[in-house]
Amino acid sequence: MNHCLLFNVLDPEKHRSGRTAGVYRIAHFLRKEGWDVEVIDYAMSWSLKELQELCKSRVTSNTKFFGFSHLFSIWSDTLEDFIKWSRKQYPSLKYISGSAVNPFFNSKQIDYYIQGYGETATITLLNYLFSNGERPKFWLNTGRKIINAIADYPSYPMRDLSVEYEERDFIQPWEWLSVEFSRGCMFSCDFCNFPLIGLKGDMTRDADNFDLEMKKNYDKWGTQNYIVTDETFNDRTEKIRKFADVVEKLNFETFFSGFVRADLMISRKGEIEDLARMNFRGHYYGIESFNHKTAKSVGKGMNPDRLKQGLIDSRKYFESTGVYRGTIGLIVGLPHEDISSLKETRDWLLQNWK
């Protein structure tokens, strides 16, 4: 059986309490394809000596590659030195980097880069490297072998977005795992640089495999809390109802946290109630600005007074029915907003949203 190590490249100062989803999704996908995959979390917290000792205990004649999964485009001298050392010890290994964004870091050691949702691109690359498969498409004139998975090897929509963990993943019951309900976003906000925006139609996973994933994680690891990776969870009301119907029937409590468009939640009848039914009670609102002209300039046009009152009313509703945490995200420096406008926003937040 082919074997690989996937390193979860997290900044230990910024991501102390959680794991990112991408590396485990790829691990799950490769395991289904027959690979023996071990995930190594918090790779940037390991010393060079620790990484070397890990390799000595794991690498066999079946080990084909090391993968490095990045939440964003971060790297370290330790990881660079680690691959340099590894090349001398295991000259046949390949080194692959995967991230949702372009690889902005500089490395002389990485062989291949995959940008975007990487299931299809990863299989294509591995078939090329180890099974005489067709050569993948690489971006031209970059000086590096970069595969644009979004454009050339799309993995969306996918009706099964499950992640199944193993004992050696060491999942703890207090952890917040990631869960994915759909890929891409139907909106096209002016400031957004996500690769999949303006999508139409139903991009959601099937309810059955979501139900099974929740039950397996609870039965095996005691998991109840989840970070939702969707760019905008409440893009479609039908999507919320679909998964709220599943959560309502579970025989254990869950808690979901993720990105929610406040203007949609406020304006659409029944949406607050459906979010509460689903126990989607951790909200990150991309308000961007309470200045009406400024918000309209980036596609957020709800009247600020209605928006503020709606936020207060929504918070009161959620707090009356259970636990709630609402975080407001703002952008400083957008058109039409001056210092006095920002101070008004600050004063409102201090009075109403501590």
Side-chain angles (χ1 to χ4, degrees), residues 93 112 119 130 210 257 282:
L93 292 186
Y112 302 94
E119 290 94 338
F130 308 118
F210 165 68
S257 180

Side-chain angles (χ1 to χ4, degrees), residues 73-283:
S73 191
I74 59 175
W75 196 238
S76 73
D77 292 338
T78 299
L79 292 177
E80 189 78 356
D81 292 339
F82 166 56
I83 301 180
K84 191 174 182 180
W85 169 86
S86 178
R87 283 191 184 281
K88 295 178 181 177
Q89 305 298 317
Y90 317 106
S92 66
L93 292 186
K94 300 298 182 182
Y95 302 89
I96 303 170
S97 166
S99 176
V101 299
N102 292 334
F104 296 117
F105 64 91
N106 292 314
S107 171
K108 295 180 180 180
Q109 302 300 328
I110 296 291
D111 295 315
Y112 302 94
Y113 301 84
I114 296 174
Q115 183 267 319
Y117 299 113
E119 290 94 338
T120 306
T122 299
I123 292 299
T124 302
L125 177 59
L126 296 183
N127 286 340
Y128 166 67
L129 294 175
F130 308 118
S131 300
N132 295 317
E134 183 178 334
R135 185 177 188 272
K137 298 178 183 177
F138 297 113
W139 277 7
L140 300 176
N141 305 320
T142 65
R144 296 183 286 181
K145 291 188 171 87
I146 302 175
I147 299 174
N148 185 342
I150 297 294
D152 296 323
Y153 301 96
S155 292
Y156 65 92
M158 296 190 83
R159 300 307 177 189
D160 187 352
L161 292 169
S162 303
V163 174
E164 191 166 345
Y165 298 90
E166 297 183 347
E167 291 288 344
R168 58 182 167 174
D169 295 326
F170 303 107
I171 303 300
Q172 302 301 308
W174 49 263
E175 287 191 77
W176 291 67
L177 298 182
S178 296
V179 64
E180 198 174 7
F181 292 95
S182 63
R183 290 185 169 176
C185 184
M186 65 185 294
F187 304 108
S188 301
C189 297
D190 291 350
F191 57 84
C192 182
N193 65 352
F194 288 148
L196 287 177
I197 58 176
L199 298 181
K200 306 301 180 186
D202 183 4
M203 296 288 164
T204 59
R205 63 188 292 179
D206 289 339
D208 289 346
N209 57 63
F210 165 68
D211 179 50
L212 183 60
E213 183 177 11
M214 294 297 100
K215 290 175 179 176
K216 277 188 175 181
N217 285 343
Y218 182 73
D219 291 342
K220 288 185 175 182
W221 325 115
T223 304
Q224 295 175 262
N225 300 322
Y226 290 90
I227 299 292
V228 176
T229 64
D230 298 35
E231 282 88 341
T232 304
F233 177 72
N234 66 325
D235 49 1
R236 300 170 67 249
T237 301
E238 297 83 358
K239 172 183 173 182
I240 307 171
R241 291 179 185 152
K242 174 180 178 178
F243 297 111
D245 289 344
V246 174
V247 171
E248 259 192 334
K249 296 175 183 177
L250 297 175
N251 61 359
F252 53 89
E253 285 290 316
T254 55
F255 189 101
F256 297 93
S257 180
F259 288 86
V260 172
R261 270 195 67 153
D263 54 349
L264 300 181
M265 179 186 70
I266 292 165
S267 63
R268 297 199 294 215
K269 186 177 180 181
E271 188 152 305
I272 293 173
E273 292 79 7
D274 285 330
L275 287 167
R277 277 199 308 125
M278 188 179 165
N279 283 327
F280 200 115
R281 297 176 175 278
H283 298 182

